């Protein structure tokens, strides 16, 4: 039964990594490619590390496998965010089917600064009060 579980984890992990590779080739823009590769590949590696921990059944190997899982869980979202943000800042074209770009009104391309949603709301509230009451 353990062999069946290990085999299933390895096959599903490999299929998820294959799905990430196909997504990298087939998806239309940087943000969707990044999303597919980050989610699918991270889950694929996690499943394979679980299979490794089950196969060797030693404390040192299991500890290393779980350390790798924790590392992947902590770093994959951060790396995806940084890559997506850098791609947006350098002007990577969005897919033609993109419906909404919420960063555009808050992004200054000259300074590469983003205004937070709170700053935008505060500025909208201040504008009527700051105007001359003529």
């Amino acid at each position: 039964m353990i062999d069946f579980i290990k085999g299933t984890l390895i096959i599903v992990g490999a299929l998820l990594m294959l799905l990430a590779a196909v997504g990298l080739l087939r998806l239309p823009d940087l943000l969707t490619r990044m999303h597919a590769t980050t989610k699918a590949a991270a889950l694929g590696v996690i499943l394979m590390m679980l299979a490794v921990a089950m196969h060797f059944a030693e404390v040192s190997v299991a500890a290393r496998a779980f350390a790798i899982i924790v590392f992947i869980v902590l770093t994959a979202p951060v790396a995806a965010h940084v890559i997506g943000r850098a791609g947006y800042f350098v002007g990577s074209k969005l897919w033609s089917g993109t419906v909404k770009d919420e960063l555009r009104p808050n992004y200054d391309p000259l300074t590469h600064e983003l205004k937070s949603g709170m700053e935008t709301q505060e500025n909208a509230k201040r504008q009527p009060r700051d105007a001359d009451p003529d």
Side-chain angles (χ1 to χ4, degrees):
M1 184 65 177
I2 295 293
D3 288 338
F4 176 75
I5 294 171
K6 291 187 298 190
T8 303
L9 288 172
I10 289 174
I11 289 172
V12 172
L15 288 174
L16 284 168
M17 286 190 219
L18 177 65
L19 182 66
V22 170
L24 184 64
L25 295 174
R26 299 276 304 162
L27 291 173
D29 68 343
L30 172 77
L31 298 178
T32 55
R33 288 176 184 165
M34 177 220 34
H35 180 75
T37 55
T38 302
K39 305 299 180 204
L43 186 56
V45 169
I46 289 169
L47 293 177
M48 286 201 171
M49 287 297 107
L50 288 174
V52 165
M54 290 176 67
H55 177 74
F56 289 104
E58 293 178 13
V59 175
S60 63
V61 174
R64 288 179 186 160
F66 286 121
I68 290 170
I69 290 171
V70 169
F71 181 77
I72 295 288
V73 167
L74 292 177
T75 59
V78 174
H81 176 78
V82 169
I83 292 169
R85 186 174 172 134
Y88 190 86
F89 285 173
V90 298
S92 174
K93 298 287 182 199
L94 295 178
W95 175 46
S96 60
T98 300
V99 176
K100 192 173 191 178
D101 182 3
E102 293 182 356
L103 288 179
R104 186 172 305 273
N106 298 321
Y107 172 61
D108 182 7
L110 297 176
T111 62
H112 295 295
E113 290 182 1
L114 279 175
K115 292 180 268 182
S116 70
M118 294 301 291
E119 290 173 7
T120 305
Q121 291 173 1
E122 289 173 10
N123 288 341
K125 290 178 184 176
R126 280 189 211 145
Q127 286 175 354
R129 280 188 256 151
D130 293 343
D132 249 353
D134 285 334

